[in-house]
């Protein structure tokens, strides 16, 4: 958001409900004429975020709401059994 808009305020909501994790981000900025060249930073932006959410079997939207930028990402919540352990793939310490 700081990279691509002139937002002065932002609302971020994150919650889990019914086996799904949902993220909503809204701000009052406008992306008019601003590019990554303006900031000297480069990345995959919203396309990269959308790709990661979709790879998890989720849904992603980025569309203005009441004229302000907004995005919604939702993905299935992984159970503890589905998550890799912190030591997965490591050999035990001698």
């Amino acid at each position: 958001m700081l990279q691509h808009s002139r937002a002065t305020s932002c609302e971020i909501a994150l919650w889990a409900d019914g086996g799904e994790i949902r993220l909503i981000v809204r701000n009052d900025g406008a992306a008019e004429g601003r590019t990554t060249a303006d900031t000297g930073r480069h990345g995959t932006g919203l396309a990269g975020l959308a790709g990661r959410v979709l790879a998890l079997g989720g849904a992603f939207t980025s569309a203005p709401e009441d004229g302000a930028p907004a995005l919604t990402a939702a993905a299935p919540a992984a159970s503890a059994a589905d998550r890799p352990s912190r030591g997965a793939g490591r050999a035990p310490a001698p």
Side-chain angles (χ1 to χ4, degrees):
M1 177 177 344
L2 295 175
Q3 183 175 348
H4 297 290
S5 77
R6 291 179 170 80
T8 59
S9 68
C10 173
E11 173 189 345
I12 300 171
L14 175 69
W15 71 95
D17 184 31
E20 179 178 77
I21 297 174
R22 184 172 294 269
L23 170 71
I24 297 176
V25 179
R26 295 183 188 101
N27 69 74
D28 67 351
E32 297 173 13
R34 192 120 186 236
T35 68
T36 56
D38 297 334
T39 62
R41 299 174 71 189
H42 302 281
T44 59
L46 294 177
L49 179 57
R52 290 188 297 276
V53 171
L54 294 173
L56 294 171
F60 180 89
T61 60
S62 174
E65 289 182 9
D66 299 324
L71 70 83
T72 301
S79 69
D82 294 336
R83 285 179 274 198
S85 69
R86 292 183 184 246
R90 294 185 195 157

